[in-house]
Amino acid sequence: MSDPAASSTQSRLLHRLSHLLQRNWRSLVLFIPFFWLLLFFLAPFFIVLKISLAETIIASPPFTPMIEWVDEGIMHIRVVIDNYAYLWEDDLYAKTYLNSIKISSISTILCLLIGYPMAYAIVRSSHTTKHILLMLVILPFWTSFLLRVYAWMGLLADQGTINNLLIAIGIIDEPLRMLYTPFAVYVGIVYTYVPFMILPLYANMEKIDWTLLEAAADLGAKPMTTFFTVTLPITLPGIIAGSLLVFIPATGEYVIPDLLGGGNVLMIGRVLYNEFNANIDWPVASAVAIALLLLLVLPMMLYQHMQAKQVEAE
Amino acid sequence: MNNGRKSRFLFTATCFGIAFLYVPMILLIFYSFNKSRIVPVWGGFSTKWYGVLFESEEVWEAIALSLKIATVNASFAMILGTLAGLALVRFGRFKGRTLFSGMISAPLVMPEVITGLSLLLLFITLKEFVGWPDQRGFTTITIAHITFSMAYVAVIIQSRLTGMAQDLEEAAQDLGAKPLRVLIDITLPLLAPGMLAGWLLAFTLSLDDLIIASFVTGPGAVTLPILIYSRIRLGLRPDINALATIIILVVAIGVLVAAWVMFRQQKQRELELSMSEEA
């Protein structure tokens, strides 16, 4: 490397490289995350789609290939929609999808009923209280989701805290069955997802000009009228964002129905997981995933649209 | 009168809400000091379950694996998420922007079972065609975690960038700095707190993930949530209460310290600002 010619070539190369970087760094900044997401986020969906159109066989991998080369380069494309037909015909799946939507919708409404007054109270409180309350809402979000669900197993069990307490004060004689019922699933979903409702509501309410409410009151509107004609409409973007952030992931929830619902509460996330891991039926599991995705694509696009609008507004 | 009733309602609602969030966790901690093996039946104070917990080699291995994955994940997710956030906010319109912003925000709401299943099928397909990854475990879990964590980082960076005044960057540009210089010398240092917040969030998300990890893991790679899940599926266990107590305390202390540091920094900045205005 002591050769002056070589070192000059090297420095010229370095110069060229830095020049190239100077001019094209924008493409590089964009290319790296773009490529990552194409490979690890978008491509996998096409693979799921492909496998959902295959037949189940006992082999490794346990499905038929889509493209087969029959001799002399004749390509044979095999697409089977049996898995989707199976989902459609088997009542179990339709019921499970509907049940998932029912559970996540009711949970979303419950989260809204609990979260809305809380977000409102946080926004309207004084500076220091606001920070403390916000932190109290965010803190559970940083602790383990799994352990928060586990905490409710201890509360709701037949020998659990709630039953022990109710028996001790003499309200009931025998333990109430709460764990492994739909009730437990609702409690679990509301408990773990309520911060997702409060935070977007808070973010929305913080930007609101609250003198509007005073104006309405000054003009003689009753509190109820003010709430329905002023407060509710201006906080609607927050309500929608929070509801979507609860509804979408709750529909595909696996851990909560599994740990708190036992086998008694059918939810689609759990069916997918079991289809894949217990039944080793990859094509059906893939079809279940695609169907779930189709079910959620509208709310997801709505959420995406709202996010984009919010960024533009800023 | 009406106002008083309203604020009383709000106060009660908030108290109930906070109690709803915290009572289960407090009980979880309380029963970790229970002598009895049956979790919700109090049998006297004891710390023996902490001993039982840490005697287990499995627990230590799971903690080590989870921390390793979380650290690598957070670092990659921070870099990728920052690049993505920069591209989305500062590059104006470019080809494929809609697709890109869609791919960035979709992981935030995508059900985990779908992400997990699709990534596993990707890894299996890749192995079949290019021979990599030959074994599932640390690498595959880390890649899966980076993919969804970077979306969260990108959201943080996006909101920081849109909320940030651009006058320093403009000044540097006016003084003749090239765009890349401006990015490295001005924008990135200004973004540093957001990047740190993103790193911490990515770290926590990774430590917390059960579903995606259990899809893409392989034999022998047991993360902490996978271990906890396999134990609590069979019912309540006092040693898991002990583990939960440790996790909750570590997180609470971490969040409090972070909040305090940020609070002090803000105070400091306000002080500097008021002093420079006086001068």
Side-chain angles (χ1 to χ4, degrees):
Chain A
M1 281 298 142
S2 56
D3 186 2
S7 86
S8 112
T9 336
Q10 203 183 12
S11 80
R12 214 178 311 146
L13 209 71
L14 261 175
H15 185 76
R16 284 276 285 283
L17 207 71
S18 85
H19 191 69
L20 212 69
L21 194 72
Q22 283 275 358
R23 268 195 320 175
N24 296 319
W25 63 274
R26 275 166 186 272
S27 321
L28 202 68
V29 164
L30 180 61
F31 176 76
I32 298 169
F34 206 134
F35 178 74
W36 182 283
L37 288 170
L38 281 180
L39 180 60
F40 294 118
F41 188 74
L42 199 60
F45 287 113
F46 288 103
I47 295 172
V48 174
L49 185 64
K50 190 202 116 186
I51 294 175
S52 78
L53 296 170
E55 272 176 295
T56 311
I57 48 171
I58 299 169
S60 172
F63 57 88
T64 52
M66 181 184 258
I67 296 170
E68 272 173 321
W69 294 96
V70 194
D71 46 32
E72 301 302 312
I74 297 169
M75 200 171 77
H76 188 97
I77 297 181
R78 184 211 293 267
V79 171
V80 193
I81 57 159
D82 285 9
N83 302 314
Y84 290 96
Y86 173 59
L87 290 193
W88 186 253
E89 278 156 18
D90 193 334
D91 268 359
L92 173 78
Y93 290 98
K95 257 190 221 155
T96 311
Y97 277 108
L98 286 177
N99 204 34
S100 304
I101 292 180
K102 183 184 129 201
I103 291 176
S104 57
S105 310
I106 296 176
S107 307
T108 306
I109 294 167
L110 292 174
C111 281
L112 187 62
L113 290 178
I114 297 172
Y116 196 92
M118 280 181 81
Y120 189 88
I122 295 173
V123 170
R124 300 308 296 269
S125 54
S126 68
H127 188 77
T128 321
T129 326
K130 189 191 275 184
H131 278 92
I132 292 171
L133 286 175
L134 256 187
M135 195 137 96
L136 284 174
V137 171
I138 294 170
L139 194 67
F141 177 79
W142 291 85
T143 60
S144 165
F145 169 80
L146 193 55
L147 291 173
R148 276 182 289 148
V149 176
Y150 172 70
W152 280 97
M153 289 173 70
L155 278 160
L156 298 172
D158 288 354
Q159 301 285 316
T161 316
I162 295 177
N163 273 321
N164 289 348
L165 192 72
L166 289 178
I167 291 172
I169 46 178
I171 294 180
I172 50 170
D173 299 323
E174 273 169 41
L176 287 172
R177 185 116 183 99
M178 288 183 286
L179 190 61
Y180 308 133
T181 65
F183 169 75
V185 176
Y186 285 114
V187 171
I189 293 180
V190 172
Y191 180 68
T192 44
Y193 284 95
V194 83
F196 290 99
M197 180 65 85
I198 298 175
L199 294 176
L201 277 172
Y202 169 81
N204 164 266
M205 287 178 182
E206 225 206 0
K207 288 181 222 144
I208 284 169
D209 180 8
W210 292 103
T211 51
L212 276 175
L213 294 192
E214 283 157 32
D218 286 347
L219 293 170
K222 292 205 182 79
M224 269 297 171
T225 322
T226 316
F227 180 76
F228 283 109
T229 55
V230 182
T231 319
L232 209 56
I234 46 177
T235 52
L236 197 61
I239 294 175
I240 297 175
S243 301
L244 291 172
L245 272 182
V246 174
F247 177 79
I248 301 168
T251 307
E253 186 56 57
Y254 166 75
V255 175
I256 297 172
D258 192 60
L259 288 180
L260 299 178
N264 306 324
V265 183
L266 285 175
M267 280 189 83
I268 203 66
R270 193 158 173 273
V271 168
L272 193 163
Y273 194 92
N274 289 340
E275 208 66 70
F276 190 83
N277 285 312
N279 299 350
I280 323 193
D281 193 337
W282 294 14
V284 169
S286 300
V288 171
I290 296 289
L292 176 58
L293 204 59
L294 287 177
L295 199 72
L296 293 177
V297 83
L298 270 181
M300 278 162 84
M301 279 167 70
L302 181 63
Y303 179 75
Q304 158 96 29
H305 174 73
M306 290 191 54
Q307 286 292 101
K309 229 169 61 179
Q310 200 193 342
V311 169
E312 261 168 44
E314 277 167 10
Chain B
M1 170 203 101
N2 236 324
N3 235 340
R5 221 172 61 197
K6 189 170 136 195
S7 61
R8 209 171 327 133
F9 166 71
L10 285 177
F11 179 74
T12 323
T14 313
C15 287
F16 267 108
I18 297 291
F20 176 56
L21 286 175
Y22 283 88
V23 168
M25 286 203 271
I26 291 166
L27 284 171
L28 199 66
I29 295 173
F30 177 74
Y31 283 116
S32 76
F33 298 107
N34 188 359
K35 203 185 231 158
S36 154
R37 170 169 282 281
I38 306 155
V39 173
V41 178
W42 186 251
F45 180 85
S46 157
T47 53
K48 72 171 172 187
W49 299 112
Y50 290 84
V52 171
L53 177 70
F54 288 119
E55 263 167 32
S56 156
E57 193 82 9
E58 273 182 340
V59 171
W60 285 109
E61 278 168 14
I63 291 175
L65 178 67
S66 276
L67 287 177
K68 208 167 91 178
I69 292 171
T71 312
V72 177
N73 158 64
S75 310
F76 274 93
M78 181 184 78
I79 295 167
L80 288 166
T82 305
L83 295 179
L86 276 170
L88 281 171
V89 177
R90 289 293 158 86
F91 287 8
R93 306 228 162 264
F94 54 83
K95 232 194 232 164
R97 190 182 198 283
T98 319
L99 175 67
F100 187 57
S101 73
M103 288 195 300
I104 274 290
S105 60
L108 301 179
V109 284
M110 187 64 70
E112 289 163 321
V113 278
I114 297 183
T115 313
L117 174 75
S118 61
L119 274 165
L120 172 61
L121 295 177
L122 172 83
F123 290 134
I124 289 169
T125 312
L126 278 178
K127 189 187 172 183
E128 199 181 327
F129 288 104
V130 294
W132 176 92
D134 56 345
Q135 202 187 338
R136 289 195 299 278
F138 171 76
T139 316
T140 50
I141 299 175
T142 309
I143 289 174
H145 283 184
I146 293 169
T147 308
F148 74 84
S149 314
M150 68 182 277
Y152 286 84
V153 179
V155 169
I156 295 180
I157 296 296
Q158 263 177 290
S159 77
R160 291 282 160 123
L161 274 173
T162 41
M164 209 162 78
Q166 291 193 33
D167 43 3
L168 278 177
E169 287 162 300
E170 278 159 13
Q173 228 152 14
D174 289 346
L175 293 170
K178 292 208 177 85
L180 184 59
R181 271 278 120 216
V182 178
L183 177 75
I184 292 168
D185 288 348
I186 312 281
T187 317
L188 285 184
L190 284 173
L191 273 182
M195 288 167 70
L196 180 67
W199 193 94
L200 287 171
L201 183 59
F203 187 82
T204 327
L205 287 169
S206 168
L207 278 186
D208 210 17
D209 168 64
L210 165 72
I211 307 292
I212 296 172
S214 37
F215 268 105
V216 300
T217 190
V222 178
T223 65
L224 193 58
I226 294 177
L227 179 85
I228 294 175
Y229 181 69
S230 69
R231 291 190 175 185
I232 63 178
R233 268 203 92 170
L234 307 171
L236 302 164
R237 290 180 53 133
D239 55 335
I240 295 297
N241 282 58
L243 182 61
T245 304
I246 294 168
I247 292 176
I248 291 170
L249 287 183
V250 168
V251 169
I253 292 169
V255 170
L256 286 175
V257 167
W260 187 69
V261 168
M262 274 195 274
F263 181 73
R264 258 193 32 174
Q265 270 180 345
Q266 204 183 342
K267 273 272 147 89
Q268 184 81 23
R269 224 173 297 147
E270 277 165 17
L271 198 73
E272 276 167 19
L273 220 68
S274 67
M275 268 163 62
S276 68
E277 267 164 19
E278 272 166 33

